[in-house]
Amino acid sequence: MTDDAVRRVFQAVDSFDADEFTRLLAEDATLVFGNAEPLAGREAITAGLKAFYSTIGGLRHRIVRHWQVDADIIAETEVTYQRLDGKEARVVAVSIWRTRDDGLISDYRIFVDLAPAYAAQVPVRP
């Protein structure tokens, strides 16, 4: 998978448009986000992404590096989440996906600690 293809995956995620991302997936694809239950099929993945997107104000990925092993892509990224309170949270994430011969993604897994993106704001006291 070329650098452009990896960038295209993260551009789709960062677009905040679940349908744009799921167009990259096979109809029977699976997606697992951290410890959440797997989502199976484009419809379920689209619904899951829309639900996730509703909990944040935005996100953007910076690709640190990526590797390809056979049909699997491993990508290390730094992700900046725009919180609903307007603050930003940065985390490191690893995404692993399998691409079929037709170029569609059949399995997508995201490994990230989202705690900073949802942490309660604690007032700073002098």
Side-chain angles (χ1 to χ4, degrees), residues 5 10 22 27 32 45 51 55-56 62 66 72 77 94 99 126:
F10 290 109
T22 56
E27 187 63 42
V32 180
I45 294 169
T55 69
I56 58 174
R62 184 179 76 77
H66 66 85
D72 296 326
T77 58
V94 172
T99 305

Side-chain angles (χ1 to χ4, degrees), residues 37-99:
E37 289 296 316
L39 301 172
R42 280 188 188 154
E43 188 174 315
I45 294 169
T46 299
L49 285 175
K50 286 180 179 180
F52 171 65
Y53 286 160
S54 74
T55 69
I56 58 174
L59 75 163
R60 67 182 177 276
H61 289 77
R62 184 179 76 77
I63 301 166
V64 176
R65 63 182 65 88
H66 66 85
W67 304 265
Q68 181 165 357
V69 180
D70 300 324
D72 296 326
I73 303 296
I74 303 107
E76 176 188 353
T77 58
E78 291 178 357
V79 188
T80 302
Y81 289 94
Q82 184 71 36
R83 295 165 40 129
L84 292 178
D85 64 5
K87 306 277 186 193
E88 289 188 343
R90 288 187 181 86
V91 299
V92 174
V94 172
S95 298
I96 302 171
W97 65 88
R98 176 163 291 211
T99 305

Side-chain angles (χ1 to χ4, degrees), residues 8-55:
R8 192 168 40 253
V9 167
F10 290 109
Q11 287 170 346
V13 173
D14 293 350
S15 74
F16 228 51
D17 179 348
D19 294 316
E20 182 175 339
F21 175 73
T22 56
R23 280 193 285 277
L24 301 174
L25 305 179
E27 187 63 42
D28 61 347
T30 56
L31 182 140
V32 180
F33 198 110
N35 292 324
E37 289 296 316
L39 301 172
R42 280 188 188 154
E43 188 174 315
I45 294 169
T46 299
L49 285 175
K50 286 180 179 180
F52 171 65
Y53 286 160
S54 74
T55 69

